[in-house]
Amino acid sequence: MLDDLHQDYLRTMDIDIWVRRELIVEHVAPEMPVRSSPPPVAVKPQVKPVIQPATPTPTKPVQVDHIGWDELRQEVAKCTACPLHQSRTQTVFGVGNPNADILLIGEAPGADEDRKGEPFVGRAGQLLNKMLYAIQLQREDIFIANILKCRPPDNRNPTAEEKLCCTPFLKRQIALIQPKVIIALGRVAATFLLDNDKAMGALRNQSRKQTLSYADTGVRVLATYHPAYLLRSNLQKRKAWEDLQLIKQIITEQGL
Ligand code: URA
């Protein structure tokens, strides 16, 4: 049998674990005592609740251009600029070192992140931790944020309206952190940061070959595959590994 750590690794990478049939101990349910049926209960006719149409929320980006870190965190927590505030459990501001040289940007919180209030804590997050570990980085060394601060229902892609409302927060985070390198995880982050609508493969190649900068700031953007995508696509894991090595090289060269 595989040890726990090995099994955990395979599970995280979404690789099926095969176990010989004779090693599986069948679980036999204990016999339940037979109960006499309860006396009939009078059933009240159901009154259907009247569902009121949802009041449309005005969508308006918030002005945060000149505020500091703590105020920005508060603005995010109370934001109602787009309809996502109605379905969130909590906002997900970001985590890590606000003075970090390396900023990592994902797409949007998923169910686990919405519950915990922290980015990348689900299965994709576990893989991300391993990717960082592979280049001697930990979450505390960098800052991790998302394009959206609220979870889109059913993990769908963010809409243009949601991005419009939420990206002022991210722009302010970037301005305050002043990172030296930004790593875009997946196409949603890469297209926003590079202001370019190309496919992920093209953005990745371009950002490896040329020094692409975020909004003419001179801050280098590297685009790589999103860990959630890597969990589904084994083929791209080799390319993600090449990206990690390039990130490591830049960190070493720049003494970050
Ligand atoms: N995917 C993302 O892009 N961000 C998270 O925080 C979690 C999953």
Side-chain angles (χ1 to χ4, degrees):
M1 288 280 265
L2 300 171
D3 63 42
D4 287 353
L5 193 67
H6 195 170
Q7 288 204 30
D8 187 37
Y9 177 77
L10 293 179
R11 240 178 255 121
T12 308
M13 303 301 280
D14 213 16
I15 297 169
D16 289 338
I17 302 168
W18 290 67
V19 179
R20 285 220 320 275
R21 196 170 301 183
E22 61 268 29
L23 294 177
I24 301 171
V25 181
E26 292 246 347
H27 176 74
V28 183
E31 264 186 33
M32 298 296 285
V34 182
R35 291 241 306 258
S36 55
S37 41
V41 180
V43 179
K44 273 196 192 164
Q46 288 252 322
V47 182
K48 275 203 171 170
V50 182
I51 297 168
Q52 302 287 355
T55 334
T57 322
T59 48
K60 204 158 120 298
V62 184
Q63 268 301 327
V64 290
D65 280 355
H66 298 100
I67 65 177
W69 192 253
D70 292 341
E71 208 183 327
L72 182 63
R73 195 184 273 282
Q74 287 162 18
E75 284 297 331
V76 168
K78 66 180 190 210
C79 179
T80 56
C82 87
L84 289 184
H85 77 273
Q86 292 166 336
S87 53
R88 75 182 176 217
T89 306
Q90 59 193 312
T91 54
V92 179
F93 180 74
V95 74
N97 176 2
N99 300 310
D101 288 332
I102 302 163
L103 173 62
L104 209 137
I105 300 178
E107 183 176 319
D112 294 311
E113 291 76 20
D114 172 72
R115 238 186 328 267
K116 280 206 161 179
E118 185 175 327
F120 286 100
V121 290
R123 281 182 63 234
Q126 288 172 29
L127 178 57
L128 178 65
N129 291 347
K130 289 179 187 177
M131 291 163 71
L132 293 173
Y133 184 74
I135 51 169
Q136 291 88 47
L137 282 179
Q138 299 197 15
R139 288 166 81 92
E140 302 75 52
D141 301 327
I142 60 176
F143 196 83
I144 308 176
N146 279 312
I147 298 285
L148 294 194
K149 309 302 184 207
C150 292
R151 180 193 180 205
D154 305 320
N155 299 335
R156 61 157 171 72
N157 281 345
T159 65
E161 177 198 23
E162 288 157 3
K163 285 189 270 187
L164 183 76
C165 289
C166 219
T167 45
F169 294 131
L170 179 64
K171 286 182 185 165
R172 189 64 191 145
Q173 283 179 311
I174 298 174
L176 289 167
I177 296 171
Q178 298 194 356
K180 305 249 169 40
V181 182
I182 302 179
I183 300 161
L185 292 174
R187 187 166 181 271
V188 171
T191 50
F192 169 73
L193 292 163
L194 296 172
D195 192 20
N196 186 319
D197 215 23
K198 289 184 184 161
M200 184 60 215
L203 290 173
R204 171 186 175 265
N205 283 336
Q206 207 182 349
S207 75
R208 283 180 61 86
K209 288 188 192 128
Q210 299 164 29
T211 307
L212 301 181
S213 121
Y214 162 70
D216 295 327
T217 54
V219 178
R220 178 153 188 192
V221 177
L222 278 165
T224 187
Y225 294 105
H226 194 287
Y229 174 68
L230 294 176
L231 287 172
R232 301 190 300 270
S233 168
N234 262 317
L235 282 178
Q236 309 297 5
K237 283 191 183 137
R238 191 178 51 80
K239 291 188 184 163
W241 176 239
E242 288 166 7
D243 295 341
L244 286 173
Q245 287 172 310
L246 177 58
I247 293 164
K248 180 71 190 161
Q249 186 189 321
I250 293 169
I251 291 173
T252 310
E253 277 169 10
Q254 296 195 15
L256 305 180

